Structure formats: structure tokens, C-alpha cells
Amino acid sequence: MSNIEPIHYTIRLEPDMERFLFTGQTEILLHAGRPVTEIPLHAKELAFWECRLKVGEGSAECPFSFEPLKEELTVRLPVEMKGEIHLTLDFMGRINDKMAGFYRSRYALEGEERSIAVTQFQESDARRAFPCLDQPRHKATFDVEMIVDKGMVALSNMPVAEEEELGGGKRRLRFATTPKMSTYLLFFGVGDFEIIRDKSDARVRAATTPGMSEFAGLGLDLGRKSLLFCEEYFGIGYPLPKLDLIAVSDFAFGAMENWGAVTFRENLLLHFADITSKAGEQRIFEVIAHEIAHQWFGNLVTPSDWEYLWLNESFATLFGNRVVSHYHPDWEVWAQFLNADTNRALDRDAMKTTVPIEMPGGEKVAINEVTAPIIYDKGASILRQIESYLGQDAVQEGLRRYLQKHAYDCAASHHLWEALEEAAEKPVTQMMKGWIEQAGHPVVEVRREQDRLLLNQRRFTYMDEASESVWMIPVNVRLFDDKGGTREVTTLLDKEKGELDIGNDVVAYKVNAGQTGFYRVKYDDKDNLEQLGRLVSEKTLALEDRWGIQNDLFAFVKSGSISVPEYLEFLIHYRDEDAFLPLAGMAGSLFQTYLVMEGDRKEKAAALGRDLIRRLLERIGYEPGPGESHTTSMLRDQVLLPAVVYGVEEVADFAMSRFDDLMHGEPVHPDIMKSVMQAAAWTDRGEAFGWFKQRLAKAESEHERMNVLAALGSFQDKASIDHAREFILSEVPNRNKFVPICHMALNPKALPDMWEWYLAHLGALEQLHPIHYERIIAGVVPLGGLGRQKEVEEFLADYVREKGTAEDTIHLALEKLAIYTRMRGSAQES
């Protein structure tokens, strides 16, 4: 298809919202660089009636054939042609319920189920709605026309340019021509949308289902702020006349950056004052900022192939956080980024089954459980590392050059490196090729010899894996001298081994100072680790470094190079810790240890968890207080359920008293509402399930539904767990079934028979959206398979051979199971 390029599409659609069908006509103006006799187009789940070729003032019919397995429609031309080719195709499709292509999304209004129809085309589902060249490099302009019922609202990427009454209760809407863009960014939708406009920036609008627009005010405000930040940072104005933020109830992903018509799950756009927590509010801001950053990274400049998808997602992830940090510096956004994004990326990337950030994909590269932590989180973490090395000003200048040079066009990774290299005058290409094209990341092993540090790098994996990979690593080291002073030294470790002069007055050293580097650090000098422990206790180390030391140690537990008891013993240094980042990191590692271990090791983790949480809650209180910090509220919500699971009775009593308030219609603070519901499920006295069921049926907010769904996965009683599982499969909407199931996969009382339940209901689970089914596999197998590793491995090996479904996710889940099995076995041996 590289010889044939689209120039312009005119797409005419008439959706039937009663029968959920649509008729369509697509005119495609193409250009063939060499003589051709056939035009191959992408198409899927469409029925074609006729294809015509424009010949002078008339037209000629063209025969065509359709190969469903290849998703390819081949049009045969009457004569060999070169240059401009103008085709018209008539077709019909179904407004499906698959949350892909042109699909229907259900909502309730006054007890009645209604639907809107919207599109979701990334990565390769535009072909479900119209015939096209469905690869990002095939950019074109688009005209969209829709015939809709008179009372309905139609939306697309551009504003309505012309409206015509047709009679019979119908009208035709023609939208303005789009800029040159890829098919996956096209959007059209129809339904009873309510639309409100931002009062300060009329370009920004919100579209919701009826009755929901009153909750879109915060989203509008955040959208305007994000747009302003990006325009100023990138030095390029937003090129479209409008930016719609569209709330969709049935949505497989979090959001989608369609140019000028961004779609969101409702809980990631709408804000409910008495229900949305501080964490939920921040998540709304992050996602809106992420999608608006895409209007430049992905939309204005598009990856030339899916292997360069990271150019979209890594930058949007980084800038989503940057925008939030700009407007809310008190939220400790970059500390949260370390504990969430970087931690998730390091953990995923330590698997033998990891993938490079730049994945050779050709036709398709799916965003799923296997790839998302690499494309989004690792990519953003690497960008943060390169920014620390080059400097923020140089990076900003390089990004501006990149965007200006490739606007309305496509780009590959090397185009970005060249722009950054010109701006920074440093060897960016040589450095970044290793980080982007190689799978995995390094561990830097450090040993002191008098006044020198000897550095050795190798690839870090949890399970043994031979590798000769070498990275160019910017190494920052914080030195602590014998007079109480500190200084920082740096080097670029570009070979397997290196060394660094530190002087003879140093008593301790912390490698990867500030945790801006994407690598692990292993200290061969035990005396230095003891000194770092002392600095942790004294809180002399920066909070990022206190987090990094324990985070690296827990990674070494999972790799088998240190024992669980050694790790738990080191955590004593954090007994008086009071900062969000190290506390949040420890809390997560301890709970993971608790889930994996058995017997004394499990109780040791629980005892440490009880002590940590009791001390924390004594300091911050059980209830959110006026004026408390953003991260304090988030940390409290993180630890309340583990406290109850560990057996902290006073926390259980508090949670049940607040749940009683909820059941009697009394308000509970949004920042603890989810954890109160989960703790109530764990300590259920027989009344929680019925209340959850009623609350879910009456909930008008997706935020509230998500809280209840988390609680449904948190029961301790076996009968309640079974009841909840039955309810999930029969009553919870498909878009949300994975939520309580994944919470159950982290519930120590649900885990023992989680694998059997998965097998017994495999057919039903396979019907879910592929990305949701993969999340369930990734959740159930690693911990639910403990104690039965061979059985699980044999079943899933046969499953992959027979069905080929979720193969990469299954391999990842089995590797995690092997890691946890070894971790549990090593603890028993010790």
C-alpha cells in the first residue's frame, strides 16, 4: 500500500439508533505513485454494495473482493492508472456493542435505558466504520456528513459547517474539513448529548449524556488550563477551532485523544463534589492533560508506524504529569510518578518477557497488559531521565523544533533524537537508541575501593537471563562526608565497567541520587548500605532516595539475591518515616509480600504493616482533616484496607462505624469512602452485600460505582465471595466486570480458589473486551496460581496452542507466578 496514499475522504453516514445499523458512503481521493490495477483498502465487519471509479464527468463500476481474515477490500480498476484516483463505495455496518469501531454506549435516564453511538478507532478500528487505509502514516483530510434524527446531536472532530433540513424528522449535518490526520484520530458520534462551553475559552466544550453536564465544570476548567499550558510550552497554538471533552459510559480504555473530540470514561471527566476523592480529582486532571498533550504528540505529529507509538504515549504520560504539577506543585506529582509510573515500569521491565519501548510492529502493536507499562510508563521515565541529563531548557527547545518541523506529518524516533541533539549539542541519538531499542534496563553494581567507586552494569531481570546489553547511563551520586557535608558527582557509564573518583572523606554514598535514572542500584559494600540505613532513619536522605533504596531492595527480593527477612529487617530504618513517597512505597511492597508469603513470613510482614500503619494513623488521624496535604489524604486511603486485613482492630471498628453512617444516609468523606466500603466488606456482618447491590443500582456517578465494585472484590467470608462473583458475572456491566475481579485477585481470602473460579467461568470471561480479559488473566494467574504452578502452566500452554488468545499476557503472568513461587520457596528454606 506504500505506493498508494489517500489525499481526502468524504464520509456520509446515516445511523439507525433503533436497529443499531448504519448506511454509509465513502468517497476517497487517492494518489498512486506508480501505475496500479488494484486498490487495497482496509475494512472489517462491513457489507459493501457498490464501488465506482470517477471517470471524467461520469463513473464506472469497479469489481471488488473482500477477505475478512485479512481485513482487506481489494478494488479492481478497469484500466491501469497512475496519479489521482477517485473511488466511491457504498456500504452498511452495525453499530456494535464491542466498544470498538462505531459502537453504542448505554446509559439510564429516569429508569429507561438509552444509547448514544460513538467511535473508538485506535489502533486499527476505523476500518470497522468505513473503508480506508488504516495505518497512521496514511494521513489525509476528512469531510464528515451525518443524517440524524432532528432531536439528536451529532459531533465530530470539527464544528458543524452546514445544516440542512431533510423532512421526515431528519436533518443532514456537514462538518468542516479536518486538518491532515490519521484515520485512528477521526471521531463521529450521535445521541442526546448535552453540551456546555467553558466561560473563559469558548474553544473548550464538554459533551455528556442528559443530566450529567452539571458535573463537567471541573473538567472544562482543567481542559482549558491544560490547553493553555501546552500552547505556551510547545510554542504552537492549538490548530483546531474547538476541543470537545466527551463523557462516554461504555468505554474500554480510560480516554482517547481524537483530534478535537476527546472521549473519556465518565469517572475520568465528571466530578461529583460529595463522591470524587482527591485521588479521583487528580486522576481526572492527569487524564485530561494527557489527552490534550496528544493534540500535539500524536495528532499534529503522528508516528509513521505503530512501532513508534511511544512517541505519542510516553510524551503524553510525561506531560500529563507536568501540567498537573505546574498548577498544583503541592500535590507531590513527581513523587507519585516515581511510586506509580516508574515503579510499574521497572517491575514490568524486569521480566524476561519484556519488550523494547520501540516495538517493531508493522501493521499492529496492541496496547495491553504487556505493552502499556513499557510504552507509557517506561517511556515517560526515560524521557524524565534524558531531561535530567540534557536540562529542561534544551529539551523544550528540541521538542519545539521537532513539532514545528514535522507538523501535520509523520515522524520516527530518529527525528526526535536529531531535534534534541541539535538543541542540546550532546550525543542524544547514541544514548537513546540503547534505551528505546533494547529490551530491559540495567542494574549498576557498586563497590568502593579507597577513594574510587567501581561501577559495573548488567541487565537486571527477576529470573536469570543471559544478556550482553549495555546502556549509556547518566549516573548521579550523592556523597556524604565525615564533616556532615554533601556533594554530588556525575559520570556517564557507557561501557560495562567504569569508575568514579569520590575523595577519601566520604562516609556514605547514594547512587542514582534523586531517582531520576531508570536503573537499579546494588551496593556490594554492606557498610555503605548500613550507613544509608542510618541516613534513612535520620531523614538526611532526600525522600526520593529513601524511597529508592527500599524499592531496589524489594526488587532484589524478587530476583532472589536477598531474602525476605533481610528486606524486612532493613525496613526498621523507616520506623519513624513520615513522608508520603517512602511510606507509600513500603506499604505496597509489604502488602505484596503478605500476599505471597505463608506462615511466619506472612505474619512478620503483617506485624511490620500493623506497626507502620498504626504510627501513620496516630500522626494523621483516621478522618481527613481541613487543610491536610493532598498526599496525606491519598496515603490514608491506601492503608486503611491493608490495616484491616493485617488485623488492626481499631481501624476495623472505625471503618464499620463509618459504614454504618453510610447505610443510614450519613455522609462519609470522599477521600476514605472507597476504603471504608472495602473494609466493611472484609468485616461484613451479613448486611454489606445487599447494601452494595442497592447502591450500585441507584448510583448516578461512575465514581461511586467504582467504589462499590472495589468493595465487591473485598469480602473475607467465603459465602459472600461466591455471592459477589455470581453477581459480577450476571449484573455488572461488561465494561466494569474486570474491576471487582482484579480486586479479588489481590484479596488473600479470595485467592485460594481464584484459579478454579477462572476455569469454571472461562467462557463468560472470554466474552469481555480483550484488554479487560487480559487484565483478569494478569491479575488471577500470578497469585491465584501459587501452590499449583505446574497445573496452571500446563493448562495455559494448551490454551495458547489451541486458541492463541492473550498469548503475551499469559507468558507474562506465568513468569510472575514463577517469581512469586520462588520468593515463597526461598522464604521457607531460610
Side-chain angles (χ1 to χ4, degrees):
M1 294 185 188
S2 58
N3 176 45
I4 301 169
E5 289 297 330
I7 299 171
H8 181 75
Y9 293 85
T10 298
I11 302 167
R12 302 182 180 94
L13 299 167
E14 183 171 359
D16 181 341
M17 296 300 289
E18 295 293 328
R19 297 187 298 158
F20 297 116
L21 299 172
F22 66 95
T23 56
Q25 183 184 84
T26 297
E27 294 183 24
I28 315 176
L29 177 61
L30 304 124
H31 183 271
R34 298 189 303 271
V36 296
T37 58
E38 295 182 342
I39 304 292
L41 300 171
H42 292 112
K44 184 176 182 178
E45 299 174 0
L46 298 174
F48 291 90
W49 310 131
E50 188 177 24
C51 178
R52 299 179 299 281
L53 170 70
K54 184 177 181 181
V55 180
E57 296 300 316
S59 65
E61 288 196 17
C62 296
F64 57 88
S65 60
F66 182 41
E67 295 187 62
L69 292 179
K70 290 186 177 180
E71 301 176 3
E72 190 168 293
L73 176 76
T74 301
V75 178
R76 293 177 179 83
L77 302 175
V79 295
E80 189 175 72
M81 298 184 69
K82 180 184 177 183
E84 287 193 355
I85 300 172
H86 196 144
L87 296 177
T88 300
L89 299 101
D90 297 327
F91 58 94
M92 174 179 275
R94 187 175 299 278
I95 303 173
N96 67 68
D97 59 357
K98 301 176 181 179
M99 293 184 281
F102 193 22
Y103 75 93
R104 60 187 183 269
S105 171
R106 290 172 288 269
Y107 67 96
L109 182 65
E110 297 178 349
E112 178 186 346
E113 183 178 286
R114 299 190 181 186
S115 296
I116 58 173
V118 294
T119 58
Q120 169 60 38
F121 290 158
Q122 190 178 17
E123 290 96 15
S124 305
D125 282 317
R127 64 192 69 180
R128 290 181 189 258
F130 63 100
C132 55
L133 289 166
D134 200 13
Q135 277 285 94
R137 64 179 175 273
H138 295 304
K139 284 192 166 187
T141 54
F142 295 82
D143 282 330
V144 175
E145 296 181 11
M146 297 186 77
I147 297 175
V148 300
D149 291 343
K150 197 169 183 179
M152 287 191 172
V153 176
L155 299 170
S156 190
N157 305 78
M158 299 292 286
V160 173
E162 183 180 337
E163 183 173 340
E164 178 186 0
E165 297 293 333
L166 299 179
K170 298 284 186 179
R171 60 189 178 128
R172 177 187 289 114
L173 302 176
R174 183 179 65 79
F175 296 90
T177 304
T178 71
K180 188 177 179 184
M181 67 184 199
S182 302
T183 51
Y184 79 93
L185 296 170
L186 188 66
F187 174 83
F188 39 84
V190 60
D192 294 324
F193 291 105
E194 289 182 353
I195 297 176
I196 60 173
R197 193 182 296 271
D198 184 76
K199 294 177 181 178
S200 300
D201 188 340
R203 296 176 298 174
V204 184
R205 310 190 307 175
T208 74
T209 53
M212 292 288 112
S213 61
E214 64 179 293
F215 305 109
L218 179 68
L220 277 180
D221 181 61
L222 302 180
R224 171 177 49 78
K225 289 178 176 177
S226 299
L227 194 63
L228 175 63
F229 179 92
C230 289
E231 286 184 318
E232 292 180 349
Y233 185 93
F234 298 132
I236 298 174
Y238 175 68
L240 273 65
K242 74 168 180 71
L243 176 61
D244 287 344
L245 311 178
I246 306 166
V248 180
S249 54
D250 288 316
F251 201 73
F253 303 93
M256 177 61 208
E257 65 268 21
N258 314 300
W259 212 354
V262 184
T263 46
F264 299 84
R265 267 189 170 240
E266 287 184 337
N267 59 303
L268 298 177
L269 178 61
L270 307 181
H271 179 269
F272 296 77
D274 296 328
I275 297 172
T276 307
S277 65
K278 286 188 177 67
E281 181 179 329
Q282 178 177 330
R283 184 66 180 144
I284 290 171
F285 202 164
E286 284 176 0
V287 173
I288 290 174
H290 178 110
E291 302 308 322
I292 289 178
H294 270 311
Q295 307 302 299
W296 285 263
F297 281 96
N299 299 8
L300 182 66
V301 180
T302 307
S304 58
D305 199 272
W306 287 123
E307 68 180 292
Y308 307 120
L309 181 60
W310 79 275
L311 288 172
N312 290 11
E313 301 301 347
S314 298
F315 276 97
T317 300
L318 184 72
F319 277 92
N321 284 277
R322 172 154 293 152
V323 172
V324 179
S325 180
H326 172 77
Y327 288 106
H328 293 282
D330 56 318
W331 283 7
E332 297 185 71
V333 169
W334 295 114
Q336 294 184 57
F337 178 86
L338 272 178
N339 193 52
D341 300 67
T342 300
N343 182 46
R344 185 165 50 239
L346 286 166
D347 184 60
R348 167 66 187 96
D349 205 38
M351 305 289 174
K352 293 192 298 182
T353 52
T354 192
V355 294
I357 294 175
E358 185 176 291
M359 295 179 293
E363 187 71 9
K364 293 183 181 180
V365 172
I367 298 175
N368 56 27
E369 288 297 300
V370 172
T371 60
I374 302 300
I375 296 172
Y376 289 71
D377 303 320
K378 181 182 178 182
S381 298
I382 297 302
L383 292 173
R384 186 169 176 263
Q385 173 179 267
I386 195 70
E387 187 174 65
S388 176
Y389 175 65
L390 299 179
Q392 290 190 7
D393 291 344
V395 169
Q396 182 179 17
E397 175 60 26
L399 295 181
R400 287 183 170 188
R401 293 186 185 193
Y402 166 79
L403 292 170
Q404 289 164 359
K405 185 173 182 179
H406 301 285
Y408 304 103
D409 205 345
C410 295
S413 298
H414 70 89
H415 294 120
L416 177 62
W417 309 149
E418 290 161 5
L420 290 173
E421 210 158 55
E422 289 173 7
E425 299 181 349
K426 288 186 178 181
V428 177
T429 299
Q430 184 182 356
M431 173 182 286
M432 292 305 293
K433 282 179 71 69
W435 289 102
I436 299 302
E437 296 177 6
Q438 290 186 132
H441 63 273
V443 55
V444 175
E445 297 166 325
V446 191
R447 178 167 57 89
R448 181 175 182 174
E449 281 193 359
Q450 297 178 345
D451 59 354
R452 295 180 304 152
L453 292 183
L454 305 184
L455 311 175
N456 181 74
Q457 66 160 297
R458 59 178 174 83
R459 181 179 169 187
F460 177 75
T461 51
Y462 292 140
M463 308 296 284
D464 291 339
E465 175 82 352
S467 173
E468 296 182 357
S469 297
V470 174
W471 290 262
M472 290 183 69
I473 310 172
V475 178
N476 303 328
V477 184
R478 172 65 60 181
L479 305 176
F480 299 85
D481 62 37
D482 53 11
K483 296 180 181 178
T486 71
R487 62 184 183 274
E488 191 168 305
V489 293
T490 63
T491 188
L492 188 63
L493 182 62
D494 58 358
K495 296 181 176 60
E496 182 181 351
K497 298 181 184 297
E499 60 181 61
L500 183 64
D501 292 330
I502 61 172
N504 55 17
D505 61 342
V506 171
V507 295
Y509 51 91
K510 166 63 175 66
V511 181
N512 197 9
Q515 295 298 130
T516 56
F518 193 80
Y519 57 93
R520 297 291 185 189
V521 179
K522 194 169 192 299
Y523 299 99
D524 292 341
D525 181 355
K526 290 188 177 180
D527 289 340
N528 183 66
L529 192 58
E530 290 175 6
Q531 288 296 323
L532 289 177
R534 176 182 61 81
L535 295 173
V536 166
S537 299
E538 297 171 354
K539 301 173 190 170
T540 304
L541 281 175
L543 61 89
E544 293 87 356
D545 292 323
R546 304 201 300 272
W547 175 86
I549 291 170
Q550 75 81 25
N551 187 263
D552 283 345
L553 287 174
F554 188 63
F556 299 142
V557 170
K558 294 172 74 172
S559 72
S561 58
I562 71 170
S563 68
V564 171
E566 287 177 292
Y567 168 72
L568 297 178
E569 185 69 24
F570 190 84
L571 293 190
I572 294 173
H573 295 297
Y574 293 84
R575 197 161 186 268
D576 295 320
E577 183 59 68
D578 57 4
F580 160 78
L581 178 58
L583 283 171
M586 272 192 301
S589 298
L590 276 174
F591 195 66
Q592 193 175 152
T593 303
Y594 177 82
L595 292 174
V596 172
M597 293 295 106
E598 295 179 308
D600 292 344
R601 298 288 180 257
K602 191 182 197 76
E603 174 51 33
K604 176 69 171 175
L608 275 172
R610 286 193 295 268
D611 183 63
L612 181 149
I613 294 170
R614 278 192 172 113
R615 288 173 170 271
L616 171 64
L617 293 177
E618 284 174 5
R619 180 170 57 83
I620 68 173
Y622 292 6
E623 293 270 14
E628 75 177 12
S629 73
H630 186 79
T631 49
T632 295
S633 294
M634 295 177 68
L635 185 58
R636 180 190 292 106
D637 194 44
Q638 178 184 342
V639 303
L640 284 178
L641 177 63
V644 175
V645 172
Y646 294 150
V648 184
E649 293 183 4
E650 59 268 33
V651 176
D653 291 341
F654 163 77
M656 285 308 300
S657 71
R658 289 298 172 270
F659 186 66
D660 286 340
D661 291 342
L662 267 179
M663 290 195 297
H664 289 90
E666 297 296 323
V668 170
H669 199 288
D671 291 347
I672 59 171
M673 191 178 296
K674 183 178 80 169
S675 53
V676 163
M677 288 186 186
Q678 289 180 285
W682 183 265
T683 56
D684 181 32
R685 298 189 295 260
E687 51 197 355
F689 182 83
W691 187 86
F692 290 147
K693 186 176 179 179
Q694 291 178 1
R695 190 80 171 210
L696 197 61
K698 294 179 180 178
E700 296 182 355
S701 157
E702 191 76 351
H703 291 274
E704 185 171 8
R705 294 185 195 105
M706 298 302 279
N707 288 342
V708 175
L709 292 169
L712 286 175
S714 304
F715 286 103
Q716 178 179 192
D717 174 70
K718 179 66 167 64
S720 297
I721 291 171
D722 291 341
H723 198 182
R725 286 169 173 165
E726 180 182 350
F727 177 79
I728 291 164
L729 292 181
S730 62
E731 301 296 331
V732 173
N734 283 350
R735 72 176 185 270
N736 286 335
K737 279 183 167 64
F738 75 96
V739 176
I741 294 171
C742 288
H743 277 283
M744 280 190 181
L746 295 172
N747 177 343
K749 295 298 183 180
L751 278 172
D753 67 343
M754 202 73 198
W755 173 249
E756 287 97 335
W757 179 82
Y758 165 79
L759 293 179
H761 299 88
L762 182 57
L765 298 174
E766 288 175 322
Q767 301 308 307
L768 301 179
H769 190 282
I771 198 168
H772 295 170
Y773 177 53
E774 291 188 12
R775 286 178 183 174
I776 291 170
I777 293 173
V780 170
V781 171
L783 291 167
L786 279 169
R788 58 183 76 200
Q789 183 181 5
K790 184 177 180 182
E791 171 196 340
V792 174
E793 288 176 343
E794 289 176 352
F795 175 85
L796 290 176
D798 291 340
Y799 183 80
V800 168
R801 278 194 296 270
E802 291 174 10
K803 298 196 174 184
T805 301
E807 181 176 0
D808 293 340
T809 299
I810 287 171
H811 290 319
L812 172 64
L814 288 174
E815 187 175 353
K816 287 185 176 180
L817 172 58
I819 292 164
Y820 289 150
T821 298
R822 183 182 62 186
M823 186 174 163
R824 176 182 282 186
S826 298
Q828 290 172 345
E829 291 169 9
S830 62

